[in-house]
Amino acid sequence: MESRVADYNNAHLEPFTFSCAMVVLLDHHCQSLQLNGHTVLNLYDRRFATGFRDDQKSSPWTPDIEQQYQQFVLKGDASDFVVRLDNNDGFAEEEGDGFSIAQDETYLYTWMRDFYETETEVYNTLRDSQGEHVLQLFACVTFHGSSPMHEASVNKYADIPGILLQYIDGFPLTDIAAYAPREAWQPLCEQAIRIVHHISDRGILNEDVKTRSFINQNNSEGKFKKFMLDFALCNFLAKRLCLPSICFVYKAG
């Protein structure tokens, strides 16, 4: 995609949790993606995922922390460390308290990588529901990090993956009392439950469902349309079908 970001506004989307979200406007129409107007850019950037860093008891990011991380990557230590994290589920829990600053940043990198891969897989699985029950995914993007890492083998540790999503000018379910009449509260909540069931029927279990996970759009007729978002903490389940004498498993989707 050749378009550049011409303007952005993140005033209504902070504080950042698992990804850094901002409303962006491309500097010209991207006809191949049928983009026109504002979109939402989610970047999975460990440096500024402040909510997640707090959850993991990681120090706030600083340039000094970044320098230590980059040195760790350039020496080749990050690659070996990621292999240990990926191949041993209990490694971080058992030894995490003893991680160095550079190891901790690498650990956060693996989380951001997994969040991005999970979220894109959810949107791909729900391709036929995009624009109806979930936001439309326009594109996956990569922002190259400003670091001395120029070798392909280490670029991935500096690059920042992201997704470009449909922008909805609406309000979260948390603010229902401020934006919707009382008689609409029950139908809106029931609609949210139906969307959760629809997504789970596709073999997706979202472990981070909150009222802020839904955004409501009010159309010109005064009717509300609801979309679900935030799928970084999803699992993809195998549905189990059991008959009286037969039990077998198939992969949803």
Side-chain angles (χ1 to χ4, degrees), residues 133-166:
H133 300 303
V134 301
L135 302 179
Q136 186 174 354
L137 172 64
F138 293 123
C140 297
V141 301
T142 300
F143 281 72
H144 298 299
S146 55
S147 74
M149 306 181 198
H150 299 302
E151 298 180 12
S153 60
V154 297
N155 275 345
K156 62 183 179 181
Y157 297 109
D159 289 348
I160 303 164
I163 54 178
L164 201 60
L165 295 168
Q166 175 186 6

Side-chain angles (χ1 to χ4, degrees), residues 43 52 64 67 85 95 122 125 128 134 148 168 175 187-189 244:
L43 294 177
F52 186 69
D64 180 64
Q67 185 177 18
L85 289 168
E95 302 188 28
V122 169
T125 302
D128 58 346
V134 301
I168 298 296
D175 297 341
L188 282 173
C189 291

Side-chain angles (χ1 to χ4, degrees), residues 138-208:
F138 293 123
C140 297
V141 301
T142 300
F143 281 72
H144 298 299
S146 55
S147 74
M149 306 181 198
H150 299 302
E151 298 180 12
S153 60
V154 297
N155 275 345
K156 62 183 179 181
Y157 297 109
D159 289 348
I160 303 164
I163 54 178
L164 201 60
L165 295 168
Q166 175 186 6
Y167 170 66
I168 298 296
D169 185 10
F171 61 92
L173 191 57
T174 48
D175 297 341
I176 188 174
Y179 292 96
R182 181 178 292 271
E183 59 269 20
W185 295 359
Q186 182 71 23
L188 282 173
C189 291
E190 291 176 351
Q191 188 178 2
I193 293 172
R194 286 195 295 270
I195 293 176
V196 172
H197 288 167
H198 170 77
I199 291 174
S200 64
D201 287 344
R202 304 295 294 273
I204 299 169
L205 174 62
N206 191 341
E207 298 183 354
D208 188 41

Side-chain angles (χ1 to χ4, degrees), residues 15-208:
F16 299 137
T17 51
F18 302 121
S19 64
C20 307
M22 62 200 78
V23 178
V24 301
L25 179 65
L26 301 181
D27 62 352
H28 62 80
H29 298 332
C30 186
Q31 295 181 352
S32 62
L33 297 177
Q34 298 181 337
L35 294 183
N36 186 7
H38 290 87
T39 58
V40 174
L41 176 64
N42 277 7
L43 294 177
Y44 300 84
D45 190 338
R46 61 183 164 77
R47 299 172 299 174
F48 307 115
T50 53
F52 186 69
R53 294 184 75 97
D54 288 343
D55 290 344
Q56 297 298 313
K57 297 180 173 56
S58 298
S59 300
W61 178 87
T62 65
D64 180 64
I65 286 177
E66 189 65 16
Q67 185 177 18
Q68 293 183 57
Y69 171 70
Q70 291 180 9
Q71 291 173 351
F72 189 67
V73 171
L74 289 172
K75 288 191 300 183
D77 294 335
S79 297
D80 295 336
F81 191 68
V82 168
V83 170
R84 294 184 67 186
L85 289 168
D86 288 343
N87 293 336
N88 185 346
D89 292 338
F91 173 57
E93 183 176 352
E94 295 168 0
E95 302 188 28
D97 290 341
F99 284 175
S100 67
I101 289 176
Q103 288 174 329
D104 191 51
E105 289 301 303
T106 307
Y107 176 58
L108 294 175
Y109 155 81
T110 63
W111 273 104
M112 295 297 112
R113 175 203 62 187
D114 293 346
F115 288 158
Y116 166 74
E117 292 176 353
T118 298
E119 192 125 21
T120 53
E121 185 174 352
V122 169
Y123 278 106
N124 287 330
T125 302
L126 299 174
R127 190 176 293 107
D128 58 346
S129 297
Q130 291 184 25
E132 183 63 28
H133 300 303
V134 301
L135 302 179
Q136 186 174 354
L137 172 64
F138 293 123
C140 297
V141 301
T142 300
F143 281 72
H144 298 299
S146 55
S147 74
M149 306 181 198
H150 299 302
E151 298 180 12
S153 60
V154 297
N155 275 345
K156 62 183 179 181
Y157 297 109
D159 289 348
I160 303 164
I163 54 178
L164 201 60
L165 295 168
Q166 175 186 6
Y167 170 66
I168 298 296
D169 185 10
F171 61 92
L173 191 57
T174 48
D175 297 341
I176 188 174
Y179 292 96
R182 181 178 292 271
E183 59 269 20
W185 295 359
Q186 182 71 23
L188 282 173
C189 291
E190 291 176 351
Q191 188 178 2
I193 293 172
R194 286 195 295 270
I195 293 176
V196 172
H197 288 167
H198 170 77
I199 291 174
S200 64
D201 287 344
R202 304 295 294 273
I204 299 169
L205 174 62
N206 191 341
E207 298 183 354
D208 188 41

